[in-house]
Amino acid sequence: MKTPHILLIVGGGIAAYKACELIRLIRRAGMTVRCVLTDGGAQFITPMTLAALSENEVFTTLWDLKNETEMGHIQLSREADLIVVCPATADLLAKMAAGISDSLATTVLLATDTPVLAVPAMNVRMWQHTATQRNVTQLRADGVRVIDPDDGAMACGEFGPGRLPEPAAIMTEIRAALSLRAREHLPLQGKRVLITAGPTHEPIDPVRYIANRSSGKQGFAIAAAAAELGAEVHLIAGPVQLPTPTGVHRHNVETAREMAAAVDAALPADVAILVAAVADWRTADSAQQKIKKTGGVLPALRLTENPDILAGLATDARRPELLIGFAAETENVIAHAQAKLARKGCDWIVANDVSGPNGQSVMGGSDNAVHIVTRDGVESWDSLPKDQVARKLMEKIADAVR
């Protein structure tokens, strides 16, 4: 798959320092990035910093003899898959709206036929000024994707809308903009993907429950990656506090039985990826009131099995073309995963080792090392950030269901 290329135009404002973190996130997402640094931006951050982070040349002037002999500003304006203006100052927005090209940045923006994402940051009164709002309206009418700034405290001491969104939120907008541009060419366009994520909570009484350490991060990352590849994604989410990925249909549940019902309601699907760590057992009869201590006598909790969602889906008449389960193991990871593959009747098992202290090496963490277990063998991947695991897995899935 083609590596997305971002051209980042860094405007002049105190929020320019956040461009450094944004570059890190862009590169971590497997994209390449080049930077254009405006004169104003250079008052807050240096070309050397941006070059070191991006590992690419940084462009600062329209009057570079070598680059402009090769029509550098035209090449910059056309080679990117997306141009991101961050921070987009009031001055930059005004010049973009008016079609002014008095610098490298504004000339690139006027010469481009590439989609543009503008991320405004400025004083609250500047943002709310009639002229700025008129410019934003014009830019949106012209097809520029302008996201609203956050509310918050600013370097000037005032509070309100005008604060640059956090880099992670900007990264979400970048993914969405790239997805919209390429959607008709994406490998999972027209495919329906069902994903479960997170733990389940099985009530003991109104204040206690049986649960596990699953954070939902890997499942949510897989849902985001599936949407980026063009799929219609239905995410059945256990009780986790994670933002819904862009373009994903989210269905919240709490218990294993609720998750099973939601999976059934989401069928049919072309692909099902059951990442959720579903509780194997629940109390046979949860108490209607809080269970009290009674003189040192321990309450008897009678357990019963929860529905096996993966095995049930494997025998369903609406079984997806590709059915994938996950296995969180603490020993003999591959052997247990191979046994689970045979027992459950699915196509792949994605297994990982969660034997770190309290399972926190993977569960709740940011990285994951997985083994893809199929009837044809085992493919083991080195530890990667969970979003990279998700993209690599979804690319493998896209190849399998083309």
Side-chain angles (χ1 to χ4, degrees):
M1 297 177 66
K2 179 180 180 292
T3 300
H5 175 58
I6 307 300
L7 180 64
L8 177 63
I9 296 176
V10 181
I14 185 62
Y17 78 93
K18 289 188 178 180
C20 298
E21 175 65 9
L22 181 59
I23 292 168
R24 190 186 71 81
L25 293 179
I26 290 171
R27 298 200 59 209
R28 183 177 178 182
M31 305 176 191
T32 63
V33 57
R34 286 178 181 263
C35 298
V36 170
L37 181 61
T38 66
D39 289 344
Q43 302 301 311
F44 298 94
I45 193 167
T46 68
M48 184 176 293
T49 300
L50 298 181
L53 292 169
S54 67
E55 294 189 5
N56 271 314
E57 180 183 0
V58 174
F59 301 89
T60 59
T61 178
L62 191 58
W63 311 114
D64 184 298
L65 182 59
K66 177 182 180 298
N67 286 326
E68 290 312 309
T69 299
E70 301 169 357
M71 296 301 287
H73 67 279
I74 299 296
Q75 182 180 350
L76 280 173
S77 73
R78 307 289 169 81
E79 67 180 5
D81 297 295
L82 179 68
I83 297 177
V84 180
V85 186
C86 175
T89 61
D91 179 66
L92 261 177
L93 292 174
K95 289 178 177 178
M96 290 167 65
I100 294 172
S101 56
D102 61 351
S103 66
L104 177 59
T106 53
T107 302
V108 165
L109 288 164
L110 193 62
T112 193
D113 56 1
T114 297
V116 176
L117 171 67
V119 190
M122 63 197 73
N123 170 268
V124 57
R125 295 196 180 184
M126 294 174 71
W127 171 250
Q128 293 175 336
H129 195 283
T130 303
T132 301
Q133 292 303 305
R134 181 173 63 245
N135 292 332
V136 168
T137 299
Q138 181 61 55
L139 287 169
R140 286 172 173 162
D142 292 343
V144 175
R145 190 181 179 107
V146 183
I147 67 175
D148 288 331
D150 284 351
D151 282 11
M154 302 179 191
C156 62
E158 297 189 0
F159 186 96
R163 182 184 177 91
L164 190 80
E166 290 304 310
I170 300 170
M171 194 66 219
T172 298
E173 295 289 342
I174 289 173
R175 292 184 189 280
L178 289 170
S179 178
L180 286 172
R181 185 185 188 198
R183 183 161 292 275
E184 65 273 15
H185 306 297
L186 293 174
L188 290 178
Q189 177 67 25
K191 299 292 186 180
R192 184 180 174 98
V193 176
L194 168 63
I195 298 169
T196 66
T200 63
H201 288 179
E202 311 299 331
I204 296 172
D205 62 21
V207 298
R208 304 180 181 94
Y209 55 81
I210 299 170
N212 57 64
R213 300 181 186 278
S214 174
S215 66
K217 290 179 182 178
Q218 187 65 84
F220 273 63
I222 291 170
E228 288 169 14
L229 294 185
E232 175 190 339
V233 182
H234 290 264
L235 174 62
I236 314 300
V240 295
Q241 301 299 316
L242 293 173
T244 304
T246 300
V248 170
H249 304 279
R250 179 174 179 172
H251 313 270
N252 291 321
V253 299
E254 183 172 351
T255 68
R257 286 177 290 178
E258 291 172 354
M259 184 169 284
V263 167
D264 184 74
L267 293 174
D270 299 288
V271 179
I273 312 166
L274 304 190
V275 191
V278 181
D280 293 319
W281 310 283
R282 68 180 187 274
T283 56
D285 300 296
S286 61
Q288 298 303 306
Q289 303 297 330
K290 179 182 176 182
I291 300 173
K292 300 290 187 180
K293 291 182 180 179
T294 53
V297 178
L298 297 179
L301 298 180
R302 188 164 59 93
L303 300 180
T304 187
E305 284 193 7
N306 272 322
D308 190 325
I309 300 174
L310 181 59
L313 197 51
T315 58
D316 195 292
R318 301 162 295 171
R319 185 193 194 278
E321 175 187 349
L322 183 60
L323 177 59
I324 301 171
F326 268 61
E329 303 291 348
T330 59
E331 60 176 351
N332 301 322
V333 175
I334 293 176
H336 284 314
Q338 290 170 326
K340 184 172 183 176
L341 179 75
R343 187 172 67 252
K344 302 291 187 179
C346 56
D347 300 303
W348 302 355
I349 290 289
V350 181
N352 56 6
D353 186 341
V354 296
S355 60
N358 296 326
Q360 294 305 302
S361 60
V362 172
M363 286 186 162
S366 298
D367 298 332
N368 203 356
V370 303
H371 308 277
I372 312 299
V373 180
T374 70
R375 292 175 182 82
D376 297 326
V378 179
E379 182 179 332
S380 297
W381 298 351
D382 292 334
S383 181
L384 293 167
K386 287 183 176 179
D387 55 353
Q388 292 187 30
V389 172
R391 281 191 296 279
K392 190 173 180 179
L393 178 63
M394 287 312 308
E395 289 172 6
K396 185 177 179 67
I397 289 169
D399 288 339
V401 298
R402 285 184 195 276

